[in-house]
């Protein structure tokens, strides 16, 4: 970490700063220019609060040279992490499609779609049991019963299950789930992340709506710091001024994250765009850009044909997406 | 709610849509123009998923006429809500300043600052026991011990206590806390909000970094739907492209929220700007714009004089802010 | 256009509104619900100021049903527009790569790179003669002399030339240029757009840093309204809170624009990301998503090897990008 | 400027970098740490392209220590600039209200409102003759005739005139205008800014929709670099994800800009919010935060009573705003 001081820093404050830095076991390398004093901090600066230093009266600016993350950092783990979900490998050249309905609604629905998406080529099955809903009056999901139905679908289809946790008190219900998803709204629910760090189950961590890539990696670091190395990152769109799509899918995040971290990265074009006909081109673009997988909403309960136009595809449309993605994959960016 | 259909909507889909709307006990009012068919939904539409409808193939666009919130809606509760915190009233013309350190660090620190801010004119005392930190390696707060120290400071100073909860499993520790704060990162932690709805303690709900005003109100609605009517909203800056300040303080939110809701609104200029010398002018501007209170970080542990330049003020600087705000208040916007 | 009125609208205001709407030759279709009055406007609403209506006291909300753009609207021109630049066709299934240096620096540089990119597979040559620079002290481009050098490079290489105009007073200098580029900062320079509408030369219109897709189309509409139908749109990243890349490339804009307009769309991964190693994966993703072309910065002046790491690629790296894109193209999204 | 190099920088690139920096007359101060090499650049770095350096392979990060602006920098001009507009002083403790209609529509309208706002307490009169309109089909303003009408209103009322220029070719028409306004969309129209730098007329420069404060200052630097020192900055809201207001008024920009520059800063609450009832509280907040003036839309043409609810106030409502602001001013933030 490099601290650039203002001209003529107040001496007492400078002494305080240096004493405080030394109390964190950092060595300090002074560089005195004509108008500028630079402090180079040597040692482990990952616990140093850069905002605090930046706000000091005597400090002009601070820059990290070291990244504040260690376990997720590709510098220290050059090899791609491969997360193995009941035999379905993600990362390190292994591409997987996770598909399924937004919400679990009934046994029949959840088992039928599982069969459909398996046939179309998905290797993991997703479905929402606990649903984060903006309105307290909206359907909040089938909750524990929904998890049971997902496990039945798993038994019938053989597909491993991905589903979202909304609170750490619910974790016992997730014992037989294969991948626990942390939703965008919980990306910085640090108490939850800490608990997930003590599991040995794969975690799918979605980027928050307004989270930087560094913040996403810091949240993954929370999980890995607890000992759980099976983290899958998920780019699912960020909130911007543009309202033509629900969010703005930040696809450049995929190759950029690859240089920052060894963790696999999947892309969710369904939530990112919120528009069914954009799922296919964005799935194809994500594959081309080097993503390690996709997460796609598929829905086919015929009495709810209603949903045809939504971000959810029918199994037929999903089959078409899988084929289009498979045609891209051999030519995709490899880094 | 108004649904505008595309030209020549596919009939089967239209039937499905209508059947589904009727299943939610809504009456439908048809209006057939030359090129445009409009459905007007009559009844309680607060549970209707507008995104879902918007995404249907046959739908051109949907607009809510009714707001999706009820309990927080000023239309149904024209009178200002006044939240009473151990005698300190907030809202309905009552203005309060909440002040205190970012983190609880020691008994001496927390009790000293309490005395200082009381003398300067604060009526509520804030301090962080549980700290949401981006890095797992950063100080995570004194946690339950920190709450105990805050309660001692309360005993010594007589000031009611405001402190942040990070997980619903910690709630039992907050029994003697006067106001429970929900931080920006937890604004959409719906399981937590539900639990807080069952308490009768005031809740200070901070706007999320990328949350719209409507989303803030929907989160307040979660709390009120559970029966807890003591909700204080807090504007604390949103994330934008501008990095000169930590966040962008959205002061127009104050008078705009006043037209949407009867709940009191306080402003946190410390977190919003992250720059100490901006706290005073933004506190003054918030008062002028009609805010019901302020939340300001104050720090005075002398061995940490280090923090002088940060978003935290010294008690002396805080006294100056209180005086400047008090001079504005008699002339402030009243709506 | 649909106008939804508030309950019990003030009558005099309603009369004024109706009179004003009728003065614009619009027919009004009334629909009176229990609590809601809806006005449906029939006729050409493209000149109606939706912001103005939205802000009226008596209006709850307004929604366009018709888009405010006509000439660029795919509804009225279902066939893809194909822009022909001296034989290089863009759009309607024709994909082109525009490449060249950021700035024109010397005759030798500009002619050498032209040969290099032609060999690598580019069909149009770009280079900046007039440079929009944030700082008045930075190099402002070679200006008219730069255009002359580009024309020499055209003569030598046979590649048509794309270069940016910064002010309408410079237009006479662009007579022999093949495509006039409007930069992001000038996307809403309406006086310039009007002038370009009177030319019959292809215009490459870049999306503004904070422009919505609808605003981009409205700017294209300015050009087409003047009679010039040769407009190529360019997605080049938008400004968001994320600073890890220079801008956020909004690739979903490509397939979404295709449903809104018949105009061709190219993608500029160089400016969007500002990071050289992201140009290749983002070029591949853009091709996969159905873009009609790419715009890529290439630089090879050896004494300036300095630029190796910037957003500019060397001709060797560019050749690699072209090959990777060509491998994607046969499998790309076709709509 | 401080350049931090990556570990083991490629030597040839480093030599190129150093040669290039020296070619710009910069001295280089080396500081070699264990893992980190730091280059400190000494000399005038305002013309150095920080993005270019940042993008080099061998560079970890770059930080400016010097700001890239000189003439507008408060460091070099500690005294507040006071802009004198025909006797109406702005800045250095002088506060002025600029008021008038959005568009000039008729002689009667423009002269009547001038009298009204003068009576209410405005000291400068604004009105749009050239109107930047998103749609080519919308009313584009009365243009040169509109300027003549403004000049008549000036003669009748005695108020100096502020009006917007849209293209440098129109400048001759602005000879008798007192303040030339540069709109948000033209903030980075550098050719226009250069021309304005050669005038000795005050320029009101509006912040672009997605411009940082530093970019705003760089645009002011363009004008001052040409010799024109009469620049007034205007904060008018930035584009964010929040759509409840038209833009997000960034009031913290006012006291922050005061520390960065000596130029006066006015605030436009009308355009920033787009909602009439927010103009008063935001005008009051701007005054409290230390703004040097306000720019407010006022409209009163009775046959267009239509506009009552828009961002434009009636003269009566404007009088109320002026009184409320005047009550705040004696207690406002002084820096």
């Amino acid at each position: 970490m490099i601290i650039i001081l203002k001209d003529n820093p107040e001496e007492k404050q400078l002494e305080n700063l240096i004493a405080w830095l030394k109390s964190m076991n950092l060595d300090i390398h002074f560089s005195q220019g004509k108008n500028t004093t630079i402090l180079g901090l040597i040692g482990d600066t990952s616990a140093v609060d850069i905002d605090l230093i930046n706000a000091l009266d005597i400090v002009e600016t601070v820059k990290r040279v070291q990244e504040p993350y260690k376990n997720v950092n590709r510098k220290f783990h050059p090899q791609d992490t491969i997360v193995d979900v009941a035999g379905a490998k993600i990362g390190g050249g292994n591409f997987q499609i996770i598909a399924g309905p937004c919400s679990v609604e009934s046994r029949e629905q959840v088992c039928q779609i599982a069969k459909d998406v398996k046939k179309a080529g998905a290797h993991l099955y997703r479905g929402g049991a606990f649903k984060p809903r903006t309105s307290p009056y909206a359907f909040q999901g089938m909750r524990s019963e929904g998890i049971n139905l997902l496990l039945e679908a798993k038994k019938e289809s053989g597909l491993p299950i991905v589903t979202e946790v909304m609170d750490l008190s619910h974790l016992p219900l997730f014992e037989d789930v294969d991948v626990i998803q942390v939703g965008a709204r919980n990306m910085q629910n640090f108490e939850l992340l800490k608990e997930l760090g003590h599991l040995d189950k794969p975690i799918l961590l979605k980027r928050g709506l307004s989270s930087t890539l560094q913040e996403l990696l810091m949240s993954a670091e929370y999980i890995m710091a607890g000992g759980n190395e099976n983290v899958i990152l998920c780019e699912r769109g960020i909130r911007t001024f543009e309202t033509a799509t629900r969010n703005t899918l930040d696809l450049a995040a995929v190759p950029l994250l690859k240089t920052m971290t060894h963790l696999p990265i999947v892309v969710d074009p369904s939530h990112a765009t919120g528009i069914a006909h954009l799922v296919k081109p964005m799935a194809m673009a994500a594959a081309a850009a080097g993503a390690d997988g996709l997460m796609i909403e598929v829905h086919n309960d015929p009495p709810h044909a209603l949903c045809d136009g939504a971000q959810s595809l029918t199994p037929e449309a999903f089959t078409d997406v899988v084929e289009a993605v498979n045609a891209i994959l051999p030519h995709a960016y490899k880094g």
Side-chain angles (χ1 to χ4, degrees), chain A:
Chain A
M1 193 177 283
I2 306 290
I3 302 177
I4 300 162
L5 299 179
K6 289 189 183 153
D7 285 7
N8 307 314
E10 207 266 307
E11 242 174 80
K12 184 68 196 155
Q13 287 208 352
L14 182 53
E15 274 172 37
N16 279 329
L17 173 60
I18 289 169
W20 179 65
L21 293 170
K22 287 191 169 159
S23 77
M24 289 184 286
N25 291 317
L26 297 168
D27 280 342
I28 298 170
H29 176 270
F30 262 83
S31 165
Q32 183 68 52
K34 211 167 42 180
N35 298 304
T36 312
T37 310
I38 300 175
L39 309 182
L41 308 192
I42 297 158
D44 179 0
T45 59
S46 54
V48 176
D49 185 342
I50 194 168
D51 279 345
L52 180 63
I53 296 175
N54 211 11
L56 296 181
D57 265 350
I58 57 172
V59 170
E60 179 75 39
T61 188
V62 201
K63 263 315 238 192
R64 279 195 188 283
V65 181
Q66 274 183 339
E67 293 85 5
Y69 42 86
K70 295 185 259 193
N71 291 292
V72 305
N73 198 333
R74 188 179 279 276
K75 274 191 194 155
F76 309 131
H77 304 71
Q79 298 294 323
D80 285 345
T81 283
I82 298 173
V83 176
D84 187 320
V85 183
K89 292 187 170 67
I90 305 181
N94 302 284
F95 186 94
Q96 300 294 349
I97 300 181
I98 307 165
C102 180
S103 301
V104 174
E105 288 170 22
S106 71
R107 192 185 188 293
E108 193 193 354
Q109 170 234 25
V110 81
C111 291
Q112 182 59 48
I113 306 181
K115 272 183 260 175
D116 290 339
V117 300
K118 186 181 184 179
K119 195 172 144 206
H123 287 105
L124 291 99
Y125 190 51
R126 57 146 286 163
F130 291 85
K131 297 299 303 169
R133 303 301 301 265
T134 309
S135 168
Y137 310 116
F139 175 55
Q140 306 273 320
M142 294 184 76
R143 303 172 71 93
S144 63
E145 196 190 334
I147 291 189
N148 290 336
L149 294 181
L150 283 168
L151 294 174
E152 292 198 39
K154 175 184 173 177
K155 217 179 296 172
E156 289 203 6
S157 67
L159 292 178
I161 295 298
V162 183
T163 194
E164 179 172 349
V165 68
M166 277 181 61
D167 191 79
L168 63 84
S169 64
H170 303 152
L171 277 178
L173 298 168
F174 287 70
E175 209 171 317
D176 297 324
V177 162
D178 298 281
V179 179
I180 299 180
Q181 176 178 320
V182 177
R185 289 185 183 82
N186 270 320
M187 193 201 86
Q188 293 194 320
N189 183 333
F190 300 119
E191 299 294 314
L192 175 61
L193 298 177
K194 281 183 210 171
E195 278 301 306
L196 297 175
H198 300 132
L199 305 181
D200 61 356
K201 209 182 268 305
I203 308 299
L204 189 143
L205 179 67
K206 290 196 145 188
R207 181 180 185 184
L209 266 185
S210 64
S211 297
T212 62
L213 296 183
Q214 179 166 309
E215 287 168 346
L216 172 62
L217 292 179
M218 291 309 291
S219 287
E221 185 78 18
Y222 257 97
I223 300 170
M224 290 193 77
N228 187 347
E229 304 196 336
N230 296 301
V231 181
I232 304 161
L233 305 174
C234 181
E235 161 61 32
R236 44 78 72 220
I238 57 175
R239 186 166 267 185
T240 71
F241 66 83
E242 176 60 81
T243 57
T245 43
R246 186 187 298 167
N247 296 120
T248 299
L249 183 62
D250 178 13
L251 266 190
V254 174
L256 187 52
L257 281 171
K258 291 266 175 202
T259 66
M260 301 163 85
T261 185
H262 50 90
L263 296 173
I265 300 138
V266 303
V267 170
D268 177 345
S270 302
H271 280 86
T273 63
I275 300 177
H277 67 80
L278 297 181
V279 172
K280 182 179 173 187
M282 289 302 99
M284 295 166 75
D292 298 301
L294 292 166
M295 187 159 198
I296 293 178
E297 275 193 28
V298 176
H299 200 295
N300 81 333
D301 195 12
H304 289 72
L306 175 63
C307 291
D308 277 10
Q311 72 185 51
S312 253
L313 303 171
T314 56
E316 294 70 40
F318 173 65
T319 305
D320 179 44
V321 173
V322 174
E323 284 167 8
V325 166
N326 282 341
I328 294 281
L329 280 177
H331 313 287
Y333 181 67
K334 299 292 185 296

